[in-house]
mmCIF file of all heavy atoms in Angstrom:
data_model
loop_
_atom_site.group_PDB
_atom_site.id
_atom_site.type_symbol
_atom_site.label_atom_id
_atom_site.label_comp_id
_atom_site.label_asym_id
_atom_site.label_seq_id
_atom_site.Cartn_x
_atom_site.Cartn_y
_atom_site.Cartn_z
ATOM 1 N N ARG A 200 89.036 -52.603 -110.618
ATOM 2 C CA ARG A 200 90.158 -53.585 -110.102
ATOM 3 C C ARG A 200 89.843 -53.901 -108.623
ATOM 4 O O ARG A 200 90.036 -55.036 -108.322
ATOM 5 C CB ARG A 200 91.521 -52.909 -110.196
ATOM 6 C CG ARG A 200 91.910 -52.792 -111.600
ATOM 7 C CD ARG A 200 93.303 -52.167 -111.835
ATOM 8 N NE ARG A 200 93.695 -52.092 -113.236
ATOM 9 C CZ ARG A 200 94.929 -51.743 -113.656
ATOM 10 N NH1 ARG A 200 95.938 -51.365 -112.806
ATOM 11 N NH2 ARG A 200 95.158 -51.676 -115.010
ATOM 12 N N MET A 201 89.484 -53.087 -107.798
ATOM 13 C CA MET A 201 89.169 -53.229 -106.435
ATOM 14 C C MET A 201 88.037 -54.270 -106.269
ATOM 15 O O MET A 201 88.057 -55.079 -105.376
ATOM 16 C CB MET A 201 89.008 -52.083 -105.594
ATOM 17 C CG MET A 201 88.892 -52.360 -104.121
ATOM 18 S SD MET A 201 88.681 -50.891 -103.118
ATOM 19 C CE MET A 201 90.401 -50.262 -102.936
ATOM 20 N N ASN A 202 87.130 -54.168 -107.308
ATOM 21 C CA ASN A 202 85.894 -55.003 -107.178
ATOM 22 C C ASN A 202 85.921 -56.279 -108.034
ATOM 23 O O ASN A 202 84.978 -56.911 -108.418
ATOM 24 C CB ASN A 202 84.698 -54.232 -107.416
ATOM 25 C CG ASN A 202 84.339 -53.174 -106.298
ATOM 26 O OD1 ASN A 202 84.081 -53.578 -105.318
ATOM 27 N ND2 ASN A 202 84.756 -51.940 -106.633
ATOM 28 N N ASP A 203 87.218 -56.508 -108.672
ATOM 29 C CA ASP A 203 87.463 -57.795 -109.542
ATOM 30 C C ASP A 203 86.463 -57.823 -110.658
ATOM 31 O O ASP A 203 85.931 -58.862 -111.081
ATOM 32 C CB ASP A 203 87.350 -58.930 -108.768
ATOM 33 C CG ASP A 203 88.471 -59.158 -107.694
ATOM 34 O OD1 ASP A 203 89.561 -58.691 -107.929
ATOM 35 O OD2 ASP A 203 88.124 -59.604 -106.511
ATOM 36 N N GLN A 204 86.214 -56.599 -111.378
ATOM 37 C CA GLN A 204 85.493 -56.562 -112.487
ATOM 38 C C GLN A 204 86.244 -56.629 -113.844
ATOM 39 O O GLN A 204 87.455 -56.235 -113.784
ATOM 40 C CB GLN A 204 84.541 -55.326 -112.499
ATOM 41 C CG GLN A 204 83.594 -55.248 -111.320
ATOM 42 C CD GLN A 204 82.602 -56.284 -111.315
ATOM 43 O OE1 GLN A 204 82.062 -56.698 -112.330
ATOM 44 N NE2 GLN A 204 82.272 -56.667 -110.062
ATOM 45 N N LYS A 205 85.594 -57.057 -114.842
ATOM 46 C CA LYS A 205 86.450 -57.095 -116.249
ATOM 47 C C LYS A 205 86.601 -55.566 -116.741
ATOM 48 O O LYS A 205 85.614 -54.854 -116.729
ATOM 49 C CB LYS A 205 85.705 -57.931 -117.176
ATOM 50 C CG LYS A 205 85.634 -59.349 -116.889
ATOM 51 C CD LYS A 205 85.072 -60.055 -118.162
ATOM 52 C CE LYS A 205 83.662 -59.700 -118.395
ATOM 53 N NZ LYS A 205 83.040 -60.430 -119.545
ATOM 54 N N GLU A 206 87.781 -55.341 -117.039
ATOM 55 C CA GLU A 206 88.075 -53.872 -117.531
ATOM 56 C C GLU A 206 87.408 -53.685 -118.923
ATOM 57 O O GLU A 206 87.361 -52.465 -119.359
ATOM 58 C CB GLU A 206 89.555 -53.585 -117.569
ATOM 59 C CG GLU A 206 90.129 -53.342 -116.196
ATOM 60 C CD GLU A 206 91.420 -52.582 -116.117
ATOM 61 O OE1 GLU A 206 91.823 -52.004 -117.227
ATOM 62 O OE2 GLU A 206 92.163 -52.688 -115.185
ATOM 63 N N ASP A 207 87.176 -54.766 -119.665
ATOM 64 C CA ASP A 207 86.533 -54.576 -121.016
ATOM 65 C C ASP A 207 85.288 -53.741 -121.016
ATOM 66 O O ASP A 207 85.018 -52.953 -121.864
ATOM 67 C CB ASP A 207 86.264 -55.949 -121.568
ATOM 68 C CG ASP A 207 87.448 -56.631 -122.128
ATOM 69 O OD1 ASP A 207 88.567 -56.008 -122.076
ATOM 70 O OD2 ASP A 207 87.418 -57.835 -122.522
ATOM 71 N N ASP A 208 84.501 -53.880 -119.898
ATOM 72 C CA ASP A 208 83.338 -53.175 -119.687
ATOM 73 C C ASP A 208 83.553 -51.633 -119.664
ATOM 74 O O ASP A 208 82.757 -50.756 -120.067
ATOM 75 C CB ASP A 208 82.562 -53.576 -118.416
ATOM 76 C CG ASP A 208 81.943 -55.068 -118.702
ATOM 77 O OD1 ASP A 208 81.802 -55.477 -119.726
ATOM 78 O OD2 ASP A 208 81.629 -55.578 -117.618
ATOM 79 N N LEU A 209 84.754 -51.288 -119.062
ATOM 80 C CA LEU A 209 85.146 -49.910 -118.887
ATOM 81 C C LEU A 209 85.753 -49.337 -120.257
ATOM 82 O O LEU A 209 85.521 -48.279 -120.627
ATOM 83 C CB LEU A 209 86.135 -49.733 -117.732
ATOM 84 C CG LEU A 209 86.725 -48.402 -117.569
ATOM 85 C CD1 LEU A 209 85.738 -47.255 -117.276
ATOM 86 C CD2 LEU A 209 87.842 -48.429 -116.524
ATOM 87 N N LEU A 210 86.534 -50.185 -120.889
ATOM 88 C CA LEU A 210 87.162 -49.788 -122.127
ATOM 89 C C LEU A 210 86.262 -49.450 -123.217
ATOM 90 O O LEU A 210 86.709 -48.784 -124.154
ATOM 91 C CB LEU A 210 88.225 -50.913 -122.631
ATOM 92 C CG LEU A 210 89.351 -51.144 -121.590
ATOM 93 C CD1 LEU A 210 90.127 -52.286 -122.152
ATOM 94 C CD2 LEU A 210 90.170 -49.980 -121.207
ATOM 95 N N GLN A 211 84.987 -49.866 -123.124
ATOM 96 C CA GLN A 211 84.039 -49.521 -124.222
ATOM 97 C C GLN A 211 83.771 -47.908 -124.237
ATOM 98 O O GLN A 211 83.211 -47.493 -125.289
ATOM 99 C CB GLN A 211 82.865 -50.208 -124.063
ATOM 100 C CG GLN A 211 82.015 -49.832 -122.743
ATOM 101 C CD GLN A 211 80.608 -50.441 -122.704
ATOM 102 O OE1 GLN A 211 79.768 -50.445 -123.692
ATOM 103 N NE2 GLN A 211 80.359 -51.211 -121.608
ATOM 104 N N TYR A 212 84.257 -47.237 -123.225
ATOM 105 C CA TYR A 212 84.095 -45.782 -123.235
ATOM 106 C C TYR A 212 85.238 -45.018 -123.619
ATOM 107 O O TYR A 212 85.275 -43.833 -123.457
ATOM 108 C CB TYR A 212 83.591 -45.462 -121.725
ATOM 109 C CG TYR A 212 82.353 -46.078 -121.324
ATOM 110 C CD1 TYR A 212 82.391 -47.045 -120.258
ATOM 111 C CD2 TYR A 212 81.171 -45.790 -121.875
ATOM 112 C CE1 TYR A 212 81.202 -47.710 -119.934
ATOM 113 C CE2 TYR A 212 79.965 -46.508 -121.572
ATOM 114 C CZ TYR A 212 80.001 -47.396 -120.563
ATOM 115 O OH TYR A 212 78.882 -48.099 -120.167
ATOM 116 N N LEU A 213 86.247 -45.730 -124.127
ATOM 117 C CA LEU A 213 87.434 -45.003 -124.626
ATOM 118 C C LEU A 213 87.278 -44.028 -125.683
ATOM 119 O O LEU A 213 87.940 -43.096 -125.843
ATOM 120 C CB LEU A 213 88.576 -45.981 -125.013
ATOM 121 C CG LEU A 213 89.290 -46.777 -123.873
ATOM 122 C CD1 LEU A 213 90.305 -47.713 -124.506
ATOM 123 C CD2 LEU A 213 89.912 -45.801 -122.972
ATOM 124 N N ASP A 214 86.210 -44.273 -126.452
ATOM 125 C CA ASP A 214 85.838 -43.152 -127.626
ATOM 126 C C ASP A 214 85.545 -41.922 -126.967
ATOM 127 O O ASP A 214 85.959 -40.723 -127.386
ATOM 128 C CB ASP A 214 84.830 -43.753 -128.503
ATOM 129 C CG ASP A 214 83.492 -44.162 -127.922
ATOM 130 O OD1 ASP A 214 83.523 -44.445 -126.679
ATOM 131 O OD2 ASP A 214 82.587 -44.449 -128.617
ATOM 132 N N ILE A 215 84.715 -41.938 -125.927
ATOM 133 C CA ILE A 215 84.304 -40.754 -125.077
ATOM 134 C C ILE A 215 85.566 -40.040 -124.552
ATOM 135 O O ILE A 215 85.724 -38.776 -124.576
ATOM 136 C CB ILE A 215 83.264 -40.958 -124.065
ATOM 137 C CG1 ILE A 215 81.940 -41.570 -124.685
ATOM 138 C CG2 ILE A 215 83.025 -39.907 -123.116
ATOM 139 C CD1 ILE A 215 80.858 -41.952 -123.755
ATOM 140 N N LEU A 216 86.401 -40.913 -124.016
ATOM 141 C CA LEU A 216 87.625 -40.345 -123.356
ATOM 142 C C LEU A 216 88.580 -39.710 -124.403
ATOM 143 O O LEU A 216 89.189 -38.645 -124.134
ATOM 144 C CB LEU A 216 88.435 -41.431 -122.683
ATOM 145 C CG LEU A 216 89.694 -41.111 -121.914
ATOM 146 C CD1 LEU A 216 89.597 -39.833 -120.970
ATOM 147 C CD2 LEU A 216 90.279 -42.305 -121.204
ATOM 148 N N ALA A 217 88.623 -40.340 -125.580
ATOM 149 C CA ALA A 217 89.585 -39.727 -126.689
ATOM 150 C C ALA A 217 89.034 -38.225 -127.032
ATOM 151 O O ALA A 217 89.760 -37.394 -127.338
ATOM 152 C CB ALA A 217 89.526 -40.672 -127.932
ATOM 153 N N VAL A 218 87.661 -38.108 -127.074
ATOM 154 C CA VAL A 218 87.072 -36.861 -127.400
ATOM 155 C C VAL A 218 87.506 -35.800 -126.322
ATOM 156 O O VAL A 218 87.787 -34.637 -126.638
ATOM 157 C CB VAL A 218 85.620 -36.896 -127.451
ATOM 158 C CG1 VAL A 218 84.888 -35.579 -127.600
ATOM 159 C CG2 VAL A 218 85.180 -37.751 -128.643
ATOM 160 N N SER A 219 87.543 -36.180 -124.998
ATOM 161 C CA SER A 219 88.014 -35.377 -123.978
ATOM 162 C C SER A 219 89.402 -34.939 -124.184
ATOM 163 O O SER A 219 89.799 -33.742 -124.115
ATOM 164 C CB SER A 219 87.722 -35.953 -122.655
ATOM 165 O OG SER A 219 88.728 -35.587 -121.663
ATOM 166 N N ILE A 220 90.380 -35.931 -124.347
ATOM 167 C CA ILE A 220 91.764 -35.687 -124.469
ATOM 168 C C ILE A 220 92.075 -34.672 -125.644
ATOM 169 O O ILE A 220 92.879 -33.802 -125.475
ATOM 170 C CB ILE A 220 92.456 -37.007 -124.659
ATOM 171 C CG1 ILE A 220 92.339 -37.919 -123.394
ATOM 172 C CG2 ILE A 220 93.942 -36.807 -125.047
ATOM 173 C CD1 ILE A 220 92.810 -39.225 -123.487
ATOM 174 N N ALA A 221 91.394 -35.004 -126.759
ATOM 175 C CA ALA A 221 91.672 -34.186 -127.854
ATOM 176 C C ALA A 221 91.213 -32.771 -127.716
ATOM 177 O O ALA A 221 91.800 -31.835 -127.970
ATOM 178 C CB ALA A 221 91.074 -34.778 -129.224
ATOM 179 N N SER A 222 89.942 -32.631 -127.263
ATOM 180 C CA SER A 222 89.232 -31.364 -127.170
ATOM 181 C C SER A 222 89.848 -30.387 -126.034
ATOM 182 O O SER A 222 89.925 -29.245 -126.168
ATOM 183 C CB SER A 222 87.775 -31.610 -126.853
ATOM 184 O OG SER A 222 87.201 -32.219 -127.895
ATOM 185 N N ASP A 223 90.450 -31.148 -125.001
ATOM 186 C CA ASP A 223 90.966 -30.259 -123.925
ATOM 187 C C ASP A 223 92.349 -29.760 -124.087
ATOM 188 O O ASP A 223 93.029 -29.227 -123.322
ATOM 189 C CB ASP A 223 90.842 -30.973 -122.416
ATOM 190 C CG ASP A 223 90.565 -30.090 -121.381
ATOM 191 O OD1 ASP A 223 89.531 -29.300 -121.425
ATOM 192 O OD2 ASP A 223 91.250 -30.052 -120.387
ATOM 193 N N ILE A 224 93.031 -30.358 -125.300
ATOM 194 C CA ILE A 224 94.296 -29.809 -125.770
ATOM 195 C C ILE A 224 95.416 -30.195 -124.553
ATOM 196 O O ILE A 224 96.177 -29.477 -124.321
ATOM 197 C CB ILE A 224 94.439 -28.383 -126.144
ATOM 198 C CG1 ILE A 224 93.082 -28.027 -126.767
ATOM 199 C CG2 ILE A 224 95.722 -28.242 -126.992
ATOM 200 C CD1 ILE A 224 92.898 -28.620 -128.197
ATOM 201 N N VAL A 225 95.279 -31.428 -123.926
ATOM 202 C CA VAL A 225 96.181 -31.866 -123.004
ATOM 203 C C VAL A 225 97.339 -32.447 -123.824
ATOM 204 O O VAL A 225 97.246 -32.902 -124.871
ATOM 205 C CB VAL A 225 95.574 -32.823 -121.982
ATOM 206 C CG1 VAL A 225 94.570 -32.131 -121.090
ATOM 207 C CG2 VAL A 225 94.953 -33.975 -122.730
ATOM 208 N N PRO A 226 98.608 -32.584 -123.104
ATOM 209 C CA PRO A 226 99.646 -33.197 -123.928
ATOM 210 C C PRO A 226 99.371 -34.653 -124.421
ATOM 211 O O PRO A 226 98.876 -35.443 -123.717
ATOM 212 C CB PRO A 226 100.796 -33.366 -122.783
ATOM 213 C CG PRO A 226 100.460 -32.206 -121.887
ATOM 214 C CD PRO A 226 99.000 -32.089 -121.787
ATOM 215 N N MET A 227 99.701 -34.795 -125.712
ATOM 216 C CA MET A 227 99.546 -36.161 -126.217
ATOM 217 C C MET A 227 100.785 -37.000 -126.167
ATOM 218 O O MET A 227 101.379 -37.475 -127.087
ATOM 219 C CB MET A 227 99.071 -35.863 -127.779
ATOM 220 C CG MET A 227 98.624 -37.143 -128.504
ATOM 221 S SD MET A 227 96.874 -37.560 -127.694
ATOM 222 C CE MET A 227 95.895 -36.368 -128.436
ATOM 223 N N THR A 228 101.035 -37.193 -124.921
ATOM 224 C CA THR A 228 102.205 -38.009 -124.540
ATOM 225 C C THR A 228 101.800 -38.979 -123.328
ATOM 226 O O THR A 228 100.705 -38.798 -122.821
ATOM 227 C CB THR A 228 103.404 -37.167 -123.957
ATOM 228 O OG1 THR A 228 102.816 -36.426 -122.841
ATOM 229 C CG2 THR A 228 103.882 -36.235 -125.064
#
Side-chain angles (χ1 to χ4, degrees):
R200 291 184 181 183
M201 188 177 276
N202 292 289
D203 295 322
Q204 299 296 325
K205 291 189 302 181
E206 282 195 24
D207 286 351
D208 292 340
L209 175 61
L210 297 180
Q211 68 176 305
Y212 301 110
L213 284 180
D214 53 350
I215 293 175
L216 179 51
V218 170
S219 151
I220 292 168
S222 299
D223 216 50
I224 322 292
V225 292
M227 197 63 75
T228 56

